[in-house]
Amino acid sequence: MAGVLERVFPMEQVSEDLGKYRSTRFASAPSTFIVGPERCNKTAMLVQAAVTEAAADGQVLFIAPKKVDGLPHGVHGMPQPSSSPMESVRFLYAESEREVTGYLASLHMMPAGDRPTLIIIDDFQFFNRHPSA
């Protein structure tokens, strides 16, 4: 499975270059943590990652504390947000860490073909600030 940045930017060696930074302590699947100040387009990058995964026949779970206002502009050379790929992106709007944890803990009960190939948690720090709301 490709890394998130590879799904956002048309980069050939991002997995190889970032591989040494990826932790394999918990899982062999790559993970990426994107941080930055408000309004720096983190959500736009994550939506592009979701669109790219969906366009490659993946199933995406996009978790956020509030509805995404609108689809951002796509990245040149990458799949564009359109109705076809977006059908494979499931949005889950959660209000607390407990809600996110509960949903993630139930994924194993889904049929294997319905499980997401990419899980995106937008605004992760929100859930850290609202653990039991």
Side-chain angles (χ1 to χ4, degrees):
M1 181 166 80
V4 170
L5 293 178
E6 199 170 36
R7 292 181 180 93
V8 178
F9 302 108
M11 299 169 20
E12 294 295 323
Q13 295 203 342
V14 72
S15 289
E16 195 173 304
D17 294 342
L18 296 177
K20 62 185 171 192
Y21 300 110
R22 183 176 59 225
S23 169
T24 55
R25 180 175 171 197
F26 299 106
S28 59
S31 60
T32 303
F33 195 80
I34 300 173
V35 295
E38 289 186 38
R39 294 180 169 67
C40 72
N41 290 320
K42 296 181 303 286
T43 298
M45 291 175 57
L46 296 175
V47 169
Q48 180 64 61
V51 169
T52 303
E53 177 71 9
D57 295 326
Q59 296 292 320
V60 180
L61 173 61
F62 195 105
I63 301 171
K66 61 181 180 163
K67 288 188 176 185
V68 176
D69 294 332
L71 293 179
H73 296 288
V75 175
H76 179 72
M78 299 299 287
Q80 298 299 303
S82 64
S83 60
S84 182
M86 293 307 290
E87 290 175 4
S88 296
V89 179
R90 178 165 182 233
F91 288 90
L92 172 68
Y93 303 106
E95 296 181 2
S96 69
E97 177 187 0
R98 179 177 289 157
E99 192 174 346
V100 172
T101 303
Y103 187 83
L104 295 175
S106 71
L107 287 176
H108 72 283
M109 298 187 307
M110 289 178 135
D114 294 338
R115 290 184 198 138
T117 55
L118 176 64
I119 298 171
I120 295 173
I121 302 176
D122 189 19
D123 207 3
F124 185 79
Q125 66 275 13
F126 170 87
F127 299 110
N128 193 35
R129 289 188 305 259
H130 299 89
S132 60

